[in-house]
Amino acid sequence: MPTTVYRTCPLCEATCGVAITTDGDQVVSVRGDEQDPFSRGYICPKGTALGDLHPDPDRLRRPMVREGTAWRELAWEDAFDLVARRIREVRAAHGRDAVAVYQGNPTAHNLGLLTYGQLFLRTLGTKNLYSATSVDQLPHMLAALQMFGDQLLMAVPDIDRTDLFVCLGANPLASNGSIMTAPDVKRRLGAIQERGGRVIVVDPRRSETAARADQHHFLRPGTDAILLLAMLHHIFAAGLDRVTHPATGIVELRAAAAAWSPERAAPLTGIAAADIRALATALATTPRAVLYGRIGLCTQAHGGLAAWLVYAVNAVTGHLDTTGGLMFTTPAIDPIEPLGPLGSLAALLGFDGGFARWSSRVSGKPEFGGELPVTALAEELETPGPGQIRALITSAGNPALSLPGGPRLERAFAQLDFMVSIDPYLNETTRHAHVILPPASPLERSHYDLALNAFAVRNVAKYSPATFARPADARHDWEICLALWTRLRLGGAGKLAAAALGTLGPEAIVAIGLRLGPHGLRRGRGGLSLAKLVAQPHGVDLGPLEPRLPGRLATADRRVHLAPAVYLADLARLDATAAQLGTVATGQGLVLIGRRHLRSNNSWMHNTPRLVKGPVRCTMLIHPDDAAARGLVDGAPARVATARGAIELPVEISDEVMRGVVSIPHGWGHDRAGTRLGVAAAVPGVSVNDILDPAAIDTLSGTTALTGQIVEVTSP
Ligand SMILES: Nc1nc2c(c(=O)[nH]1)N[C@H]1C(S)=C(S)[C@@H](COP(=O)(O)OP(=O)(O)OC[C@H]3O[C@@H](n4cnc5c(=O)[nH]c(N)nc54)[C@H](O)[C@@H]3O)O[C@H]1N2
Ligand SMILES: Nc1nc2c(c(=O)[nH]1)N[C@H]1C(S)=C(S)[C@@H](COP(=O)(O)OP(=O)(O)OC[C@H]3O[C@@H](n4cnc5c(=O)[nH]c(N)nc54)[C@H](O)[C@@H]3O)O[C@H]1N2
Ligand code: SF4
Ligand SMILES: [Mo]
């Protein structure tokens, strides 16, 4: 008998409600849940493919140990014992910092990894803690820390109530939104236009989002900070500034912007001075307006400055913490509000806010939130001496494809004394592991979105029990992490403690978090609890975002810091870039940017026939003039080279990218030997990170500059 259950899709930040119909142990279909109050029936192709991950024959079900190039299955307890022993040995011989950790993106979508996973991985006491954060949202977190006092206080656009949405470096129509949990974002953007508002996109490519916008400006990659300073320049010069919250640094911000007239910015950014003024004026004079910036704006050489300026422009135009502007959420489980005497959930799990309190051993890169930037990983693996990495734990990450300099990292992985990967696939990264510990499938685990509810455009809450019971011989991510944590912490007593703690599970944390959270006990009898959520399978809507300032601020003086010193000190570097940009002769090289596609999910969902069918997606987009100048033919291969090597991939000629810019997606390159990815290996594509320079970083924040690197493009 087919039955239908209602769950949250854990594959991206949109948190769509899905209706999963099963028959016995088979998935019959995955559709959008029309009754989910937040996503209202929307689902993307990846959501449909959720049902394909579960039966995927390549998905590992049992621990695997590698002997040379051969893999053998191992019993769970033996695998845990082996991993704990090897980690202990490396620590005993070389110290705690010799064991490194890399956590990847699916961590954010996994209740078990966000709770027990953090407990295990963040409390190993190693300085060599890495994650995808430093190829992603780190600049936003740094700005939240510097300006609002806590790295998790990233403000989100109140997209459902705004009349002007200015979008820099994001393509929500492909990505489904990021640090803006907004399922069915296409409809939400369309609704802005339907109520007479406007959507303006600033992007080096006429992206899917730009194509539906009211206005699109091509911007030279990497110049967002210059554009934003010029907008501020005009806002102050025209007397349009309106700071509505207690703030410090207005004078310094004005002084910083004074050097960046729209006339100076125009030739650098490629946007006319009149257009910069018009954009700034529109933002400042539209009562309900918001400026939103995301990954294209922050993973670049000046991403730190740009992320700061996004918040600053909103604050200076009266759009911070106001309806239709950039707002703070009131999540049902609040990661940063103290849970009584326990402290905050984030702190309990080892999240440690701070910046540049120490730096990396080899090249002195700054720590952020207890982590080092991934651009330090290769050198920390390769450089001998005390503190050199000798063992690596990867969890839900695929650095071989997702980090610039992937091949160099892979060479270093192959030299490790020990490597263990908590991952369901034998892929480009995990093929180097000595042991792989595969978690149960996403349909076998429960879900509450601890992370993304805190960045949602409405306050919502939903609990999803597991769709299928996990088989007796499978383990959840959290069970794997708990087993290792207790063995490493408690030695012989560890197995008993793991068994005892194992009866609680992440549900206990959700239950406590909900009761002590802002919608729980303090709302009286009607307050939220886990039992209430269980009884509401489609989720509950807790209302629109509410003004939270100044109470929500975590700065010591309870003010918004508009001009933190770290940013002012970095402005000289922007001057230097501007001087250089002025002198680059056109035709020397092309500027590389990335691209996401609705049917991809970084590097790991290409093993699903449903998602990889159709036209080849790993292509290079190039402007017709640039293609003609190089004799490139649509559909034929191009050779794209840097000092680190070359890749060849099909050309797609289109004026949707600006002149001088090429766009290549990441997450491909599935033809490495020794993986077990039958479907992906047949449509491998190439990995753009093979040729990107890991040394290209935003030196302020340590974030990798994925966008804006120069490549040579030729006909092979
Ligand atoms: N050139 C370029 N590079 C980029 C980017 C770019 O735009 N351009 N984007 C960057 C960004 S934003 C990010 S977030 C990173 C992503 O970088 P990563 O997080 O390193 O890579 P993913 O491709 O997300 O790989 C996820 C891994 O987790 C495994 N996995 C999936 N689900 C689970 C689970 O439930 N539990 C466990 N334990 N494992 C699981 C998958 O098998 C896969 O191995 O890539 C970055 N790299
Ligand atoms: N389908 C799908 N969805 C995803 C993912 C995926 O791989 N596939 N990945 C998920 C992850 S990990 C993340 S972090 C989010 C990211 O979500 P988004 O931030 O929306 O990411 P993108 O879709 O890559 O959009 C980035 C845009 O920035 C533009 N850009 C590049 N360089 C510059 C620049 O210098 N300045 C400006 N202004 N724009 C620039 C690019 O052309 C692109 O249109 O998406 C998530 N959602
Ligand atoms: S948009 Fe994201 S959350 Fe929604 S169905 Fe697609 S992958 Fe899942
Ligand atoms: Mo990301």
Side-chain angles (χ1 to χ4, degrees):
M1 258 299 277
T3 48
T4 298
V5 295
Y6 302 96
R7 301 293 185 254
T8 299
C9 172
L11 295 174
C12 92
E13 297 180 47
T15 70
C16 299
V18 286
I20 305 177
T21 303
T22 60
D23 195 350
D25 60 0
Q26 305 287 307
V27 181
V28 177
S29 70
V30 181
R31 286 167 294 115
D33 177 5
E34 304 284 343
Q35 295 171 77
D36 182 302
F38 197 28
S39 64
R40 292 184 257 179
Y42 175 78
I43 188 174
C44 87
K46 290 188 298 297
T48 312
L50 188 56
D52 303 337
L53 292 173
H54 179 69
D56 184 347
D58 287 335
R59 185 172 62 79
L60 305 178
R61 266 84 170 163
R62 265 171 288 282
M64 307 260 286
V65 60
R66 180 167 60 82
E67 281 147 10
T69 53
W71 291 90
R72 174 169 68 76
E73 283 189 2
L74 203 64
W76 281 103
E77 294 300 305
D78 295 341
F80 294 147
D81 286 342
L82 170 64
V83 171
R85 177 170 62 75
R86 296 294 287 121
I87 291 175
R88 257 200 304 268
E89 283 168 6
V90 171
R91 290 214 298 206
H94 306 287
R96 287 184 174 248
D97 292 338
V99 179
V101 172
Y102 174 81
Q103 297 194 67
N105 169 276
T107 308
H109 308 273
N110 186 311
L111 175 62
L113 287 177
L114 276 182
T115 52
Y116 288 74
Q118 300 314 303
L119 199 62
F120 168 47
L121 297 164
R122 286 186 180 267
T123 60
L124 281 166
T126 172
K127 281 191 175 146
N128 279 307
L129 204 56
Y130 301 86
S131 81
T133 289
S134 48
V135 271
D136 194 346
Q137 79 288 357
L138 196 161
H140 298 287
M141 295 177 79
L142 179 61
L145 178 68
Q146 296 286 337
M147 300 176 75
F148 311 133
D150 191 294
Q151 59 183 16
L152 294 179
L153 275 180
M154 292 184 285
V156 301
D158 186 15
I159 184 173
D160 290 345
R161 293 183 294 178
T162 199
D163 297 318
L164 175 62
F165 184 77
V166 181
C167 178
L168 261 75
N171 184 12
L173 257 53
S175 69
N176 279 301
S178 184
I179 319 185
M180 172 178 74
T181 288
D184 200 1
V185 67
K186 191 172 174 180
R187 181 184 56 75
R188 291 174 196 269
L189 288 174
I192 297 175
Q193 294 166 319
E194 274 160 31
R195 58 180 175 262
R198 286 193 299 158
V199 176
I200 301 178
V201 173
V202 181
D203 195 304
R205 173 179 165 237
R206 195 184 328 106
S207 65
E208 290 78 356
T209 308
R212 300 187 136 252
D214 300 278
Q215 235 179 65
H216 167 231
H217 299 283
F218 283 116
L219 172 89
R220 183 195 273 193
T223 61
D224 297 78
I226 294 174
L227 170 70
L228 294 170
L229 282 163
M231 286 170 64
L232 276 175
H233 179 104
H234 175 67
I235 289 160
F236 284 120
L240 295 170
D241 54 303
R242 200 168 58 87
V243 177
T244 50
H245 299 287
T248 64
I250 302 176
V251 173
E252 292 84 348
L253 188 64
R254 178 194 287 263
W260 294 94
S261 69
E263 279 68 25
R264 181 182 176 201
L268 300 170
T269 57
I271 303 182
D275 289 338
I276 297 176
R277 286 201 169 83
L279 189 57
T281 303
L283 200 63
T285 58
T286 305
R288 303 196 307 179
V290 68
L291 172 68
Y292 165 71
R294 206 32 202 107
I295 196 162
L297 161 138
C298 72
T299 51
Q300 52 164 282
H302 297 286
L305 287 178
W308 158 54
L309 290 165
V310 167
Y311 290 165
V313 168
N314 279 296
V316 165
T317 51
H319 299 312
L320 182 67
D321 197 44
T322 52
T323 303
L326 205 60
M327 300 190 77
F328 298 95
T329 62
T330 311
I333 298 182
D334 189 335
I336 64 170
E337 215 177 72
L339 300 168
L342 296 173
S344 76
L345 183 61
L348 276 175
L349 296 172
F351 284 93
D352 177 17
F355 175 53
R357 292 164 299 178
W358 65 84
S359 45
S360 65
R361 177 182 64 109
V362 178
S363 64
K365 295 196 170 69
E367 156 274 345
F368 179 79
E371 297 180 22
L372 289 171
V374 288
T375 52
L377 180 55
E379 64 199 21
E380 294 295 332
L381 283 156
E382 290 165 352
T383 312
Q388 182 188 6
I389 298 170
R390 310 296 287 264
L392 173 66
I393 306 171
T394 71
S395 171
N398 191 5
L401 294 191
S402 38
L403 302 185
R408 177 176 164 199
L409 282 170
E410 289 200 64
R411 283 192 295 278
F413 293 166
Q415 302 300 316
L416 283 164
D417 291 349
F418 183 67
M419 175 167 162
V420 54
S421 293
I422 305 173
D423 201 290
Y425 286 102
L426 174 45
N427 64 18
E428 299 77 13
T429 293
T430 62
R431 69 190 177 127
H432 298 288
H434 297 92
V435 179
I436 304 176
L437 302 172
S441 101
L443 296 187
E444 290 163 351
R445 66 171 189 251
S446 62
H447 187 65
Y448 178 91
D449 225 305
L450 270 187
L452 302 169
N453 282 336
F455 304 108
V457 302
R458 286 185 73 85
N459 295 313
V460 291
K462 177 164 167 173
Y463 173 74
S464 302
T467 301
F468 298 119
R470 75 139 170 72
D473 61 348
R475 294 292 179 275
H476 293 299
D477 284 287
W478 70 267
E479 292 176 302
I480 295 169
C481 291
L482 177 62
L484 295 175
W485 182 73
T486 45
R487 273 170 176 77
L488 284 165
R489 272 285 161 115
L490 308 172
K495 286 183 198 177
L496 265 172
L501 280 169
T503 57
L504 287 174
E507 268 68 15
I509 296 171
V510 172
I512 295 169
L514 287 170
R515 287 314 271 163
L516 299 183
H519 301 273
L521 285 171
R522 66 187 96 151
R523 303 262 161 138
R525 286 172 63 84
L528 218 53
S529 66
L530 183 55
K532 283 225 167 75
L533 285 189
V534 169
Q536 302 266 6
H538 305 288
V540 296
D541 182 49
L542 302 166
L545 305 184
E546 293 165 337
R548 304 279 330 253
L549 296 193
R552 187 68 165 160
L553 289 175
T555 46
D557 58 2
R558 292 284 158 133
R559 285 164 186 264
V560 175
H561 294 186
L562 290 174
V566 291
Y567 297 120
L568 298 178
D570 196 44
L571 285 167
R573 201 165 55 88
L574 195 62
D575 273 313
T577 297
Q580 262 179 4
L581 279 178
T583 63
V584 170
T586 46
Q588 262 185 355
L590 296 170
V591 185
L592 181 64
I593 63 170
R595 177 165 100 241
R596 281 178 163 73
H597 192 280
L598 203 53
R599 289 176 176 273
S600 268
N601 200 11
N602 296 319
S603 75
W604 75 278
M605 285 188 69
H606 296 145
N607 210 48
T608 308
R610 194 194 300 264
L611 292 181
V612 291
K613 70 174 188 228
V616 172
R617 298 205 180 81
C618 185
T619 62
M620 181 191 71
L621 281 177
I622 186 167
H623 189 275
D625 294 353
D626 293 324
R630 289 162 181 78
L632 296 173
V633 179
D634 197 65
R639 183 174 186 276
V640 188
T642 67
R644 271 141 307 277
I647 51 176
E648 277 186 27
L649 74 172
V651 172
E652 217 178 318
I653 299 176
S654 166
D655 67 1
E656 75 185 50
V657 278
M658 65 193 289
R659 269 191 206 86
V661 172
V662 290
S663 160
I664 302 179
H666 71 287
W668 296 90
H670 302 297
D671 51 0
R672 269 63 162 171
T675 63
R676 196 175 293 176
L677 297 165
V679 175
V683 278
V686 290
S687 178
V688 69
N689 283 323
D690 286 1
I691 61 166
L692 283 184
D693 183 1
I697 67 167
D698 171 30
T699 49
L700 164 63
S701 66
T703 311
T704 315
L706 299 171
T707 195
Q709 297 196 22
I710 305 293
V711 294
E712 293 296 332
V713 177
T714 51
S715 178

